[in-house]
Amino acid sequence: SRIKIIIARLKRVNKSRSELEATLIQLRTTLVQLQFDLADAKVKDFSAIAKTKRDIARILTFLRNTA
């Protein structure tokens, strides 16, 4: 299933839980900055917002399934 694929990809990265949580905080900060930049019309790559959201969702899925 799709969740198993996500978990397998993140396991290959070999990051500890604390490293993933730190990455999650960084991605959330990036997302907020992208949203502010979008409001100010500074964003050139609109797909960066969607990619960041997907990365956040992947990490959250992994953390929930490996608890």
Side-chain angles (χ1 to χ4, degrees):
S1 79
R2 199 162 161 77
I3 293 174
K4 289 180 183 178
I5 293 170
I6 292 169
I7 291 171
R9 284 183 188 162
L10 286 172
K11 281 184 178 176
R12 276 188 257 139
V13 174
N14 279 336
K15 286 190 175 185
S16 69
R17 187 173 186 84
S18 60
E19 288 174 322
L20 285 173
E21 289 169 350
T23 303
L24 186 60
I25 292 169
Q26 181 182 13
L27 285 171
R28 284 180 169 161
T29 304
T30 302
L31 181 61
V32 169
Q33 187 59 49
L34 284 169
Q35 289 169 336
F36 277 117
D37 288 347
L38 180 64
D40 289 339
K42 294 180 185 175
V43 175
K44 296 196 184 348
D45 182 16
F46 294 102
S47 67
I49 294 171
K51 289 175 187 174
T52 304
K53 286 181 179 180
R54 265 188 235 118
D55 290 341
I56 290 170
R58 285 185 182 115
I59 292 173
L60 288 173
T61 301
F62 179 77
L63 291 175
R64 284 186 191 119
N65 287 313
T66 58

